[in-house]
Amino acid sequence: MTPIPPDRLDAILTRYDIVTATLSAGSADSETFVQLSRELSELEGVVAAIRAYRAAADNLAGIEGLIDESGGDAEMRSLAAAEKPEAEEAVEAAHRALQLMLLPKDAADEKSAILEIRAGTGGDEAALFAGDLFRMYAKYADIKGWKVEVISENEGTVGGYREVIAEVKGKGVFAKLKFESGAHRVQRVPDTETQGRIHTSAATVAVLPEAEEVDIVVNDADLKIDTMRSQGAGGQHVNKTESAIRITHLPSGIVIFVQEERSQHKNRARAMSLLRARLYDAERTAKDAVRAADRKSQVGSGDRSERIRTYNFPQARVTDHRINLTLYKLEEVLAGEALDELVDALLTEHQAELLAADGMA
């Protein structure tokens, strides 16, 4: 158990007292108030973990003191000796919880997310698989109580999607889904296969933290905005009103096209939300690349060309290649019910890497 420097913990407690006092005084301006409120929300969990750890350590020290009292009551020493293993376990558990709370926080973890799924190699079968993945995440979101709203979709010729982009709204969505970014592979016999041969297809998943205006400032002068008539199926509305929006961000070359809503205003709002998310993700990726120069994180690399997971239908198994975890629960994973087993295992691995990098493992 690697000791945590007491002065580090004292500094956190001192900062917590300062933030609490400043907010209670009511003297902060609106912008400072928002920043301090966010900081307080982050500090509260850490402070609770520090207090729990110190209480457990004090309890263990008291028990050890009773055991070491040479002139003390023999029965009390015996009772203390019996309680010591449990007290030691409590200290270790509190220490572990505190270590995790002290790990560097991803500022985007509590945010909602933009989910982008695109069919890769495999033609129609890849589009069908992209549809399977989208339904898996939609069912998982429903289990978590999150809300899914489609921003843009391009359906496959026989079903599924060539591309689908959606907002997944809820607290902590990005923290749960961020390790899903990458290339997902499926192995199964397509319905059109007469010889019973297994085909391999792929789809890529990108999960971006949803950015607010305070996270990314977009200069109107950097935007080229075009309106046009909606395209594709859609009944009488299609090609009668110019509700579709295409936004080009000139400095980055990012182009966003949204036509799902009948309202031009709503399409523009969704396009701007998607643009901010992509710009925010690009900024985060650049910062992560700098950090990765010192340490390569296998789980959190976010390389969307990397094959991360295989869904094998004949064997009813799902394998995550980053952590060598195989589950024979294909149906449960695709139903969103067992996806947490993969998500939590990836998070645990990521935390272990951070602990090792911080010298706390």
Side-chain angles (χ1 to χ4, degrees):
M1 193 167 65
T2 306
I4 301 173
D7 55 350
R8 182 180 180 186
L9 304 183
D10 290 337
I12 294 172
L13 294 174
T14 299
R15 179 59 185 170
Y16 175 77
D17 290 338
I18 292 172
V19 171
T20 303
T22 304
L23 288 172
S24 298
S27 57
D29 58 51
S30 58
E31 185 176 344
T32 303
F33 180 83
V34 171
Q35 292 175 344
L36 290 178
S37 296
R38 287 181 177 177
E39 185 179 358
L40 179 63
S41 178
E42 294 173 358
L43 284 172
E44 284 175 336
V46 183
V47 168
I50 291 173
R51 290 172 176 168
Y53 169 63
R54 287 187 165 175
D58 288 344
N59 180 55
L60 176 59
I63 289 173
E64 289 175 336
L66 286 173
I67 295 173
D68 292 340
E69 283 184 3
S70 57
D73 184 273
E75 186 176 352
M76 287 295 293
R77 287 202 303 273
S78 177
L79 289 172
E83 292 177 5
K84 185 179 179 181
E86 184 177 344
E88 289 175 332
E89 289 180 9
V91 170
E92 288 184 10
H95 182 269
R96 172 71 179 180
L98 179 55
Q99 278 185 321
L100 295 178
M101 293 297 295
L102 292 174
L103 287 176
K105 296 293 187 296
D106 187 334
D109 273 354
E110 293 303 304
K111 293 181 179 292
S112 298
I114 303 290
L115 173 67
E116 303 181 352
I117 303 175
R118 295 179 177 84
T121 55
D124 291 338
E125 177 64 15
L128 290 171
F129 178 50
D132 292 337
L133 290 177
F134 179 69
R135 284 186 291 275
M136 176 181 75
Y137 293 122
K139 291 174 182 177
Y140 183 64
D142 186 57
I143 292 170
K144 296 294 183 183
W146 302 334
K147 184 177 181 181
V148 178
E149 295 181 1
V150 174
I151 296 176
S152 174
E153 60 182 357
N154 179 7
E155 295 181 354
T157 55
V158 297
Y161 297 100
R162 298 306 306 169
E163 176 186 89
V164 58
I165 302 173
E167 288 179 303
V168 186
K169 292 185 171 293
K171 185 177 181 181
V173 172
F174 185 69
K176 281 288 189 179
L177 294 183
K178 63 183 178 182
F179 297 127
E180 294 300 298
S181 290
H184 295 238
R185 184 177 68 171
V186 63
Q187 296 171 330
R188 63 184 171 190
V189 179
D191 293 336
T192 55
E193 171 57 58
T194 58
Q195 303 296 321
R197 291 172 297 188
I198 297 172
H199 286 223
T200 298
S201 304
T204 60
V205 174
V207 180
L208 318 178
E210 191 168 55
E212 302 171 25
E213 291 186 27
V214 295
D215 298 316
I216 288 290
V217 177
V218 180
N219 191 334
D220 289 341
D222 291 336
L223 303 178
K224 182 177 182 292
I225 301 176
D226 300 304
T227 60
M228 60 199 70
R229 293 177 181 177
S230 297
Q231 305 167 3
Q236 295 179 351
H237 169 64
V238 171
N239 295 328
K240 287 201 172 184
T241 60
E242 292 197 346
S243 60
I245 290 286
R246 183 175 64 206
I247 297 179
T248 304
H249 185 251
L250 300 175
S252 65
I254 294 174
V255 178
I256 307 293
F257 178 77
V258 176
Q259 65 170 10
E260 298 306 307
E261 299 288 345
R262 295 195 174 195
S263 162
Q264 184 184 114
H265 176 73
K266 288 183 179 179
N267 281 332
R268 177 168 177 156
R270 287 195 164 189
M272 286 300 297
S273 176
L274 182 52
L275 174 61
R276 280 194 297 269
R278 289 190 180 172
L279 290 172
Y280 185 50
D281 181 63
E283 185 179 285
R284 283 168 41 82
T285 300
K287 291 179 180 177
D288 288 344
V290 173
R291 288 195 290 265
D294 298 322
R295 179 180 60 88
K296 173 68 174 176
S297 172
Q298 179 189 9
V299 171
S301 63
D303 182 355
R304 287 164 202 150
S305 64
E306 174 192 6
R307 185 194 70 184
I308 64 168
R309 193 175 295 155
T310 296
Y311 304 74
N312 183 291
F313 276 71
Q315 298 179 20
R317 65 172 169 84
V318 180
T319 299
D320 196 290
H321 304 289
R322 295 164 293 179
I323 53 176
N324 296 319
L325 174 63
T326 295
L327 300 178
Y328 289 90
K329 298 180 178 181
L330 178 63
E331 289 187 10
E332 293 92 332
V333 170
L334 290 176
E337 298 165 2
L339 188 56
D340 255 338
E341 293 187 40
L342 292 164
V343 168
D344 290 344
L346 287 162
L347 177 59
T348 298
E349 178 71 14
H350 182 60
Q351 289 174 338
E353 290 177 353
L354 291 176
L355 286 170
D358 203 31
M360 294 193 294

